[in-house]
Amino acid sequence: MNKLGGEFSCAIWDADKNRLILARDPFGHKPLHYYKKTNNTLFFSSEIKGLLAAGVPAELDLVSLSDFLSLNCIPCPATIFKDIYQVPPGSMLIADPGGIRIKTWWEPRIVVDQSITFEDAVSGVSSAFKRSVEQCMLKSETYCFLSGGMDSSALISFATEIANRKIHAVSVGFEEEEENELQDAATMARHVGAEHHSLIVKPDSFFDMLGTLVWHHDSPFTDTSAYPTYFAAKAGAGFTDIILTGDGPDQTMGGSGHYVFAVKNNIFAPRSHSRRLTYGLASGLLETMAKDPVPSLFSKAYRKLYRESLSPVHAAYDIRSYFPDIVKRFLCSDEFWEVHLGNNPYRHPESWFRNAGSLDDVNKYLYSDMKFYLPDDLMIKVDRMCMAHGLETLSPFLDRDLVAIINQLPGSFKVNSKDGKITTKRVLKEICRKRFPPSILNKRKQGFGIPLEKWLRQDDGKFLKEILLDERTLNRPYFKKKSLKNLVETFLLNKGDYFYPSPNAVAGLLTLELWHRNYLD
């Protein structure tokens, strides 16, 4: 397996040993699902809908649904379907007359080499990335997604340097100026001499497309950047069947906002048992005064005290959750809340941090994201949305040799705090310093977002109310009717905040209901 590079999932029949081998690439870029019947029959398919077409029963897994709500997506190997699993990234499933076993052949192990200087790190990462980009330039004409951010701009810069002809850049923008990065993408394309192809996406198609996006995911989702990714893929597929992406460095080199928050607030500092117990007792008293999560003096104090009562890792992921514990308890039926209590979703990040060992906090957080967010959110979104148009993606930042070099670096080479200023993706930023125009190098990180809140409220929330307040939705056994109505009303009247109700939580509930109707009803 170590001789294979890039993105893949495959099935190999070994006739000599009478065994089947299913294998998946290191970061789970390509999907591979399986279902085992009690009579030792094994079904496998890249898409879950392939298993369902073969007669595999479609049943919701309540533990996976609980994990989805708390963690924003479902950790591998589980799926939203009961008894349907993923082959884990960097792993093989071996099925023979003796049964089924999983063998890991690669994982994103981080072993820091303290002897590496920052200058050596910059040189090593730059050289490895250049080699990776060159290996991905398989066709006579090279196409790259270009958002105008650092990662895709680095990709287009290196690709242009390597090629002896024009590189093609594909970008998607929005009518809403505040979410539109097309100008930055155009600036970078001009800077390197790339041919720029751009597309404007209109909000009218968002609700029309939501069911289609769910169908391609085979699952509910909260990452609404799937929508622009879908249209970027549609645009790219008009030119090519292979495109390079800038995915990966946020999770390997520390580019996301939660790393900044973690460093700025030292959130992984140990908390004594007595301190957590004291905050837990205090939060319990305030819980009775804060009748719902709608922002108020009591509810905000309750949030603060409750999070202080948690372990540092639990608190960190509760902050990231679109359904933090307090919101989830308010929303869930008593029966479904028992599922949460019996299968604490935060068992997953706690185990990732334990497995990371004695690394610094930044590298622990990155290891956790490489084990979870990267394969179970980012790669799923990119592959499903692009393959919806028959567009294969290659991600040079996720080359194994490159990641191995990055994983030797101290956390301070990735996310660095100095004189009150926090620098993310420090190594990559240094690499790009002489490659970018100042407007790109110093721009604020935007991500591949959409004006979600604005779109969800359009037409007085007509689509939102038609789906979430429909009797079918309200009668599901997962949520309390009164609480679900409160969430929708609070959101549409704009009486909430970042905590409750999150726009991504609303989107997650929409995709859950659409998934339920398409796959189970």
Side-chain angles (χ1 to χ4, degrees):
M1 295 305 301
N2 285 317
K3 294 182 180 180
L4 290 177
E7 296 83 31
F8 62 88
S9 64
C10 60
I12 302 168
W13 175 249
D14 186 342
D16 292 338
K17 296 185 178 180
N18 192 32
R19 65 179 182 175
L20 174 71
I21 299 172
L22 305 179
R24 198 166 172 214
D25 65 72
F27 288 104
H29 194 116
K30 305 303 290 185
L32 188 52
H33 301 90
Y34 68 95
Y35 170 84
K36 181 182 178 296
K37 290 183 72 171
T38 52
N39 64 356
N40 288 329
T41 301
L42 181 71
F43 295 84
F44 63 93
S45 175
S46 57
E47 295 185 64
I48 290 177
K49 59 178 67 69
L51 298 176
L52 302 180
V56 171
E59 184 180 347
L60 182 144
D61 188 304
L62 288 175
V63 174
S64 291
L65 177 57
S66 176
D67 287 349
F68 167 75
L69 294 175
S70 292
L71 300 174
N72 306 331
C73 52
I74 300 169
C76 191
T79 71
I80 193 67
F81 291 90
K82 188 174 182 179
D83 297 328
I84 295 179
Y85 299 98
Q86 304 177 66
V87 175
S91 298
M92 297 184 293
L93 179 150
I94 303 171
D96 56 28
I100 290 175
R101 63 189 184 277
I102 301 291
K103 180 179 179 181
T104 299
W105 62 272
W106 189 90
E107 69 166 349
R109 191 162 168 260
I110 299 178
V111 179
V112 175
D113 182 349
Q114 298 290 354
S115 69
I116 297 177
T117 66
F118 184 70
E119 291 71 23
D120 287 343
V122 170
S123 174
V125 171
S126 180
S127 297
F129 182 57
K130 185 174 182 178
R131 286 194 299 271
S132 178
V133 173
E134 188 168 14
Q135 289 170 359
C136 291
M137 296 171 68
L138 304 175
K139 306 191 74 173
S140 58
E141 289 191 291
T142 299
Y143 286 80
C144 305
F145 280 137
L146 177 62
S147 68
M150 178 180 293
D151 305 339
S152 61
S153 294
L155 171 62
I156 203 85
S157 173
F158 275 85
T160 303
E161 180 181 291
I162 295 165
N164 55 8
R165 55 198 170 277
K166 270 198 173 184
I167 298 296
H168 297 267
V170 179
S171 306
V172 167
F174 304 95
E175 288 183 331
E176 286 82 354
E177 190 64 33
E178 67 271 17
E179 296 287 348
N180 200 341
E181 288 191 278
L182 278 182
Q183 188 56 52
D184 293 325
T187 298
M188 190 64 201
R190 283 195 303 271
H191 183 71
V192 298
E195 186 168 338
H196 193 214
H197 312 276
S198 61
L199 173 73
I200 293 289
V201 177
K202 298 181 180 180
D204 295 345
S205 58
F206 176 66
F207 295 117
D208 295 335
M209 287 300 305
L210 209 49
T212 300
L213 303 187
V214 171
W215 189 83
H216 285 296
H217 275 82
D218 282 333
S219 175
F221 61 91
T222 60
D223 189 344
T224 53
S225 63
Y227 178 73
T229 303
Y230 179 91
F231 283 99
K234 184 178 181 179
F239 301 104
T240 183
D241 57 357
I242 297 177
I243 196 163
L244 278 60
T245 83
D247 296 311
D250 279 348
Q251 293 74 42
T252 59
M253 288 187 266
S256 298
H258 53 265
Y259 304 120
V260 176
F261 184 87
V263 171
K264 187 176 181 179
N265 296 280
N266 194 24
I267 63 173
F268 295 115
R271 301 176 179 183
S272 69
H273 177 72
S274 59
R275 175 190 166 184
R276 288 176 56 190
L277 183 61
T278 301
Y279 277 109
L281 293 171
S283 70
L285 294 173
L286 276 176
E287 183 180 8
T288 60
M289 302 179 192
K291 63 182 189 302
D292 59 43
V294 176
S296 69
L297 181 64
F298 287 125
S299 68
K300 289 183 177 181
Y302 175 35
R303 299 174 193 175
K304 170 72 174 172
L305 293 174
Y306 176 75
R307 279 189 176 147
E308 290 294 331
S309 74
L310 304 174
S311 73
V313 173
H314 186 160
Y317 279 82
D318 191 70
I319 290 169
R320 289 174 62 169
S321 177
Y322 301 132
F323 296 91
D325 286 349
I326 291 172
V327 172
K328 190 177 177 184
R329 178 69 186 96
F330 171 73
L331 188 63
C332 289
S333 65
D334 291 342
E335 295 78 13
F336 189 34
W337 183 246
E338 287 299 318
V339 174
H340 170 98
L341 294 177
N343 304 270
N344 181 6
Y346 299 99
R347 69 192 184 281
H348 296 292
E350 294 280 11
S351 71
W352 301 323
F353 270 69
R354 281 197 303 273
N355 292 340
S358 58
L359 295 170
D360 57 79
D361 288 343
V362 167
N363 271 320
K364 282 184 179 180
Y365 215 0
L366 289 167
Y367 174 80
S368 181
D369 270 357
M370 283 189 277
K371 292 290 287 184
F372 169 54
Y373 176 79
L374 186 54
D376 294 324
D377 184 305
L378 185 59
M379 292 295 97
I380 286 178
K381 173 194 69 179
V382 172
D383 181 74
R384 306 305 193 273
M385 296 302 96
C386 290
M387 288 309 297
H389 303 284
L391 182 65
E392 289 285 2
T393 57
L394 299 176
S395 305
F397 277 113
L398 295 179
D399 173 74
R400 285 210 315 268
D401 293 336
L402 170 60
V403 173
I405 292 171
I406 294 169
N407 283 354
Q408 295 177 6
L409 307 181
S412 61
F413 286 10
K414 302 167 185 179
V415 182
N416 187 55
S417 178
K418 184 177 181 181
D419 300 327
K421 181 182 178 182
I422 297 175
T423 302
T424 58
K425 286 184 290 197
R426 183 184 170 200
V427 166
L428 183 59
K429 189 165 285 186
E430 187 61 32
I431 291 169
C432 296
R433 191 169 300 282
K434 295 180 180 179
R435 292 177 170 271
F436 290 3
S439 62
I440 303 297
L441 183 68
N442 301 315
K443 68 172 291 197
R444 178 180 61 87
K445 181 178 176 59
Q446 284 185 248
F448 205 14
I450 62 174
L452 179 61
E453 197 166 347
K454 180 179 178 180
W455 287 4
L456 289 173
R457 290 199 181 102
Q458 70 182 15
D459 297 327
D460 195 31
K462 179 175 178 290
F463 181 86
L464 199 60
K465 290 184 281 190
E466 285 178 352
I467 299 296
L468 295 185
L469 300 185
D470 180 79
E471 282 303 311
R472 275 187 294 176
T473 309
L474 294 172
N475 287 327
R476 305 284 186 208
Y478 321 121
F479 307 118
K480 299 171 189 167
K481 290 185 181 181
K482 185 177 179 181
S483 297
L484 189 54
K485 289 178 179 178
N486 176 284
L487 182 145
V488 172
E489 179 184 353
T490 303
F491 178 78
L492 292 179
L493 293 177
N494 200 18
K495 292 183 177 180
D497 59 6
Y498 77 97
F499 185 89
Y500 177 83
S502 160
N504 288 82
V506 175
L509 292 174
L510 282 172
T511 63
L512 172 62
E513 179 57 26
L514 293 173
W515 171 84
H516 212 292
R517 295 181 185 187
N518 288 335
Y519 286 85
L520 301 187
D521 290 359

